[in-house]
Amino acid sequence: MKNRLIDWPTFLGAFILLLIIVVPLVVFPEKGTEYVDVANSFITTNFGVLYLLVALGIFFFLIYVAISDNGRVKLGDAGEKPEFNNFSWAGMLFCAGIGSSILYWGTIEWAYYYQGPPFGIEPGTKEAIAWSSTYGIFHWGPIAWAIYTLPALPMAYFYYVRKKPVLKVSEATRPLIGNKADGPLGTLIDVLFMFGLLGGAGTTLALGTPMIAEGINYLTGLPVNMIMKTLILALVTAIFAISAYSGLRKGIKVLSDVNLWLSIFLLAFVFVVGPTRFISETTTNSIGLLLDNFFHMSTWTEPYNRLGPYDRTGFPESWTVFYWAWWLVYAPFVGLFVAKISRGRSIRQMIMGTIIYGSIGSLLFFGIIGNYGLNLQLTGEFDVINVLNEQGAPRAIIETIGQLPFAWFMILVFTVLAIIFLATTFDSSSYILASVVQKEVEDEPLRWNRLFWAFALCLLPLTLMFLGGLGTLQTAAIVGGFPLLFIMIMLGWSFMKASSGDIRNSEHYEPKTFALNYKKIVERVRRRKKKKKPKQKGPVDAHFEEEEKDKDRDEDDQPHNDRE
Ligand code: NM2
C-alpha cells in the first residue's frame, strides 16, 4: 500500500491545528480577532528587534557559507550537470517564491511610503519620494531572499549529498536533535512550518483575489462581489491543482515558463512605453540610496520615540518586521522547493543564484511598475494616492495599469499574470506540503496527497473570506510563524554541523577557503605573468621614455649634499 508512505501524525497534526485556530474564529469571530490582534502586536513590538537581527544574521551567514568550503559541495554526484538550465531554474525559483503579491506591492507600495515615510521624514517631501521608491526593493531584496535560501541549505544537502529521500523540515534538523526528529518534536517542527505556510498563503490570497477581481471588473464590467471572488478562487485552484497533479517537470515548469515570459513582456512594455528615463534614473538612484543605507534600514527600530515627546510611526513593525515574518513563514517551503530543483548545482551557486536572481527580479518589478506609478503621481497625470485612499489598493493598482496605452489589453495581461503567479506559488506550496507529510519521497509525492493539499490551501481562506476573517488568518499566520525564527537558526546550525563534519572527514579534502588559498592565488598570478605577450613599443612609450630621461637628469642635477 502506497499510503504507508504517509506520515499520519504530521498530516493530521497540521490539519487539526488549523481547525483549532479556524473553528473558534468562525464561531466567535469578534473575540477571536481581538485575541489574535493582541498576540500580533505583542510579538511584533516586543520581538521586532529579534526579527531584524535574525534576518541580518541570516544574510551574513549565507555570504560566509558561499565563500567557505561548505559552499563548494556539489548537490548530487560528481560531474553531474544541473538538472534545469539557469533560465528555467531562476524562473521556477522566482515563480515559486513570489506570488501575485509582487504585482500588488510592486505597483502600489511606494504610495504607502510616500504618505507614511520612515525616519521621521515629512510625508510627500522630496526625501519621502526618494525613500518611497527605495524601501520596496529593500523589503523584497537581498535580506529577504537570504531568508528564503537558508532552509534550502540543509534540505538540499541531506537530499542530494547524504541521499536521504526525505523532504521535511524536521529531517533537516536531525544533526541537532538526533532521533527526536522521528518523535513528537520532529512532528511539532513540521506542523508549525505547515501552519505558517498555510497562513502565509492565506495572506497572499487575501491580497491577490480582490486585485484580480478589480481587473476582471475593469475588463468585463461585472461587479466585484463574493460570487466573483469565489469563482476566481475556484479558477486559480483548478489551474494549480492540475499543475500540481501533473508534477514538477511538466505542470510546474510549464506554468513557470509562461509566467516568466508574460512578466518579461509586461515589464518590457511598461519600461519602453512608459517614462523610460524617469524609471531608469529613479531605479538607479534607489539602488544607491539602498546601498548607502543598507545597515540603517536593516536595523532601524525607532527606539527613542517610545520615550520622548516624539510621534511613533510604527513603521518598523508594520513594514520591515511584518515583511520578514511573512518571508519567514514561506521560507522552509521555498527552501524545500529550491533544494528540489537545484540538483547538479553547488551550494555556492544555489546561494548566489537565489539572492542575486531573486533580488534582480524584485528590483525589476518595483523599479519599473512602481516608478511608473510614481511618475503618474508626480506629473499629475493620474492621482494614484487619491484613488488608493478613496477606493482602496486593488482599484488603485488596476487603474495605474489602466493609464498605459492599450489599457484594456494591458489589464488583461496583468490580470492573467496575477492568476498565473498565484497558481505557481500554490502549485509548489501544495507539492511541498504533500512532501512534508510523507515519510519518504522517492521521486515525487503521491498524487492524491498533492491534490489534497491543493484544495486544503484554498478551502480555509475561502471559508474565512465568506466570514470576513481573512485578515485575522494573516495575522494568525504571522503569530504562528514566530517559532520559525528559532527553527531557522536550527536549520543553519544543522547544515554547518553536518557539512563541516563531512568535509573534515573526507580523505580528498584540501582546504580552499579564500583565506587559506593564498598559495594557489600566488601560483595563478605567476602563471598568468608567464603567459603575457612579449612587450612591444606602443603609443605611450615615447611619453614614458621622456619621463625616465627627466628623472635621470633631475637626479644628476641634485647636489649630493645629503650628509651635510
Ligand atoms: N512574500 C515574498 O504572496 C506572494 O507573493 C508570496 C510573499 C513572502 C512577501 C510570497
Side-chain angles (χ1 to χ4, degrees):
M1 252 303 264
K2 277 220 154 167
N3 285 356
R4 267 206 324 245
L5 283 178
I6 299 289
D7 170 3
W8 289 106
T10 313
F11 191 110
L12 294 176
F15 206 61
I16 291 170
L17 179 66
L18 212 60
L19 293 182
I20 291 178
I21 305 282
V22 172
V23 171
L25 285 179
V26 172
V27 184
F28 311 105
E30 273 164 27
K31 265 271 166 270
T33 313
E34 209 181 294
Y35 283 133
V36 173
D37 281 345
V38 169
N40 180 48
S41 60
F42 179 77
I43 289 181
T44 51
T45 39
N46 290 313
F47 297 100
V49 64
L50 199 59
Y51 278 91
L52 297 184
L53 289 176
V54 170
L56 193 61
I58 290 174
F59 177 72
F60 282 120
F61 171 68
L62 286 184
I63 304 242
Y64 168 75
V65 173
I67 56 180
S68 74
D69 281 338
N70 308 56
R72 283 163 52 203
V73 175
K74 171 90 149 272
L75 301 167
D77 301 321
E80 203 170 351
K81 291 254 156 54
E83 185 178 358
F84 297 101
N85 68 32
N86 274 345
F87 187 75
S88 281
W89 186 80
M92 278 200 273
L93 156 80
F94 198 79
C95 298
I98 299 293
S100 49
S101 309
I102 197 148
L103 296 175
Y104 187 104
W105 290 117
T107 314
I108 204 72
E109 197 160 316
W110 66 268
Y112 287 88
Y113 301 142
Y114 186 107
Q115 301 185 83
F119 309 131
I121 289 164
E122 279 295 307
T125 55
K126 226 194 219 162
E127 267 186 299
I129 295 169
W131 286 111
S132 75
S133 61
T134 304
Y135 245 97
I137 58 178
F138 172 67
H139 287 146
W140 293 72
I143 295 191
W145 283 95
I147 296 179
Y148 264 10
T149 316
L150 178 88
L153 302 181
M155 287 161 186
Y157 189 80
F158 296 131
Y159 199 73
Y160 290 125
V161 182
R162 286 201 175 173
K163 304 217 181 328
K164 273 229 153 194
V166 192
L167 277 177
K168 272 172 183 271
V169 185
S170 58
E171 187 56 38
T173 56
R174 190 180 290 275
L176 277 190
I177 62 174
N179 286 345
K180 292 207 184 83
D182 303 316
L185 183 61
T187 308
L188 180 70
I189 290 179
D190 289 330
V191 166
L192 283 174
F193 147 64
M194 293 177 74
F195 175 67
L197 177 57
L198 285 163
T203 310
T204 297
L205 272 188
L207 293 171
T209 318
M211 179 175 74
I212 294 170
E214 285 293 343
I216 294 179
N217 167 271
Y218 187 101
L219 295 170
T220 63
L222 292 170
V224 176
N225 53 24
M226 263 307 163
I227 301 177
M228 191 204 273
K229 289 188 189 162
T230 312
L231 287 179
I232 293 171
L233 269 184
L235 175 71
V236 174
T237 315
I239 296 177
F240 80 75
I242 294 171
S243 162
Y245 184 79
S246 41
L248 190 58
R249 279 173 212 100
K250 276 193 234 134
I252 296 180
K253 184 169 174 300
V254 171
L255 216 50
S256 302
D257 284 349
V258 176
N259 193 351
L260 207 59
W261 285 112
L262 217 51
S263 303
I264 292 174
F265 168 73
L266 176 74
L267 293 171
F269 186 85
V270 178
F271 183 65
V272 173
V273 173
T276 311
R277 190 172 133 205
F278 178 84
I279 290 175
S280 329
E281 287 181 357
T282 313
T283 308
T284 308
N285 190 61
S286 302
I287 296 174
L289 197 60
L290 170 62
L291 290 177
D292 250 5
N293 294 279
F294 183 76
F295 290 110
H296 188 26
M297 292 162 96
S298 48
T299 53
W300 183 50
T301 49
E302 214 183 19
Y304 324 110
N305 299 30
R306 262 185 241 281
L307 309 172
Y310 316 104
D311 285 337
R312 194 172 159 71
T313 61
F315 186 105
E317 301 92 275
S318 21
W319 288 104
T320 313
V321 173
F322 164 74
Y323 259 124
W324 291 171
W326 194 14
W327 286 86
L328 261 170
V329 290
Y330 263 98
F333 141 61
V334 182
L336 279 164
F337 190 75
V338 172
K340 187 83 178 77
I341 62 174
S342 297
R343 184 183 192 129
R345 288 169 192 274
S346 69
I347 291 190
R348 175 177 308 157
Q349 281 171 334
M350 187 174 80
I351 295 179
M352 296 323 257
T354 21
I355 298 186
I356 295 174
Y357 291 135
S359 303
I360 291 180
S362 305
L363 179 72
L364 288 176
F365 275 94
F366 278 79
I368 296 178
I369 309 194
N371 287 328
Y372 169 70
L374 177 61
N375 183 264
L376 291 175
Q377 183 75 37
L378 295 180
T379 53
E381 267 169 66
F382 176 63
D383 194 349
V384 183
I385 291 187
N386 185 35
V387 179
L388 170 66
N389 296 344
E390 300 291 319
Q391 300 177 55
R395 189 82 213 158
I397 293 167
I398 295 298
E399 292 210 4
T400 302
I401 302 299
Q403 304 305 310
L404 286 165
F406 309 111
W408 194 89
F409 177 70
M410 288 319 289
I411 289 186
L412 179 68
V413 170
F414 188 85
T415 311
V416 170
L417 190 58
I419 293 175
I420 300 184
F421 248 130
L422 263 184
T424 50
T425 304
F426 277 51
D427 61 7
S428 26
S429 313
S430 39
Y431 187 92
I432 289 305
L433 287 171
S435 310
V436 171
V437 297
Q438 281 193 203
K439 289 186 198 132
E440 279 193 6
V441 182
E442 279 306 345
D443 185 31
E444 305 209 280
L446 304 178
R447 279 206 165 140
W448 74 261
N449 188 17
R450 298 197 306 250
L451 271 188
F452 176 85
W453 290 103
F455 287 107
L457 264 177
C458 276
L459 215 58
L460 290 159
L462 191 67
T463 324
L464 283 168
M465 202 159 79
F466 273 109
L467 291 160
L470 209 50
T472 312
L473 178 67
Q474 290 167 32
T475 339
I478 304 299
V479 175
F482 184 59
L484 278 175
L485 213 53
F486 305 98
I487 295 179
M488 287 291 264
I489 296 174
M490 284 168 77
L491 289 174
W493 191 347
S494 278
F495 167 74
M496 286 313 276
K497 194 166 167 195
S499 66
S500 299
D502 290 351
I503 290 173
R504 253 183 271 116
N505 293 336
S506 154
E507 46 181 288
H508 299 291
Y509 174 59
E510 206 195 314
K512 260 196 191 163
T513 323
F514 67 112
L516 299 170
N517 200 19
Y518 73 100
K519 268 193 195 151
K520 279 241 159 92
I521 295 175
V522 170
E523 194 135 300
R524 206 178 301 152
V525 172
R526 215 177 277 150
R527 231 180 293 138
R528 207 174 290 155
K529 265 195 186 153
K530 264 195 207 152
K531 266 198 216 148
K532 267 197 189 149
K533 274 200 266 166
K535 292 201 171 171
Q536 283 171 349
K537 270 204 174 173
V540 290
D541 281 300
H543 172 82
F544 286 135
E545 278 164 16
E546 189 77 3
E547 236 178 33
E548 289 285 280
K549 267 190 218 146
D550 280 351
K551 230 195 315 166
D552 288 348
R553 212 177 300 130
D554 283 354
E555 267 167 22
D556 289 345
D557 289 350
Q558 289 245 324
H560 295 274
N561 52 359
D562 305 356
R563 290 208 190 127
E564 287 166 25

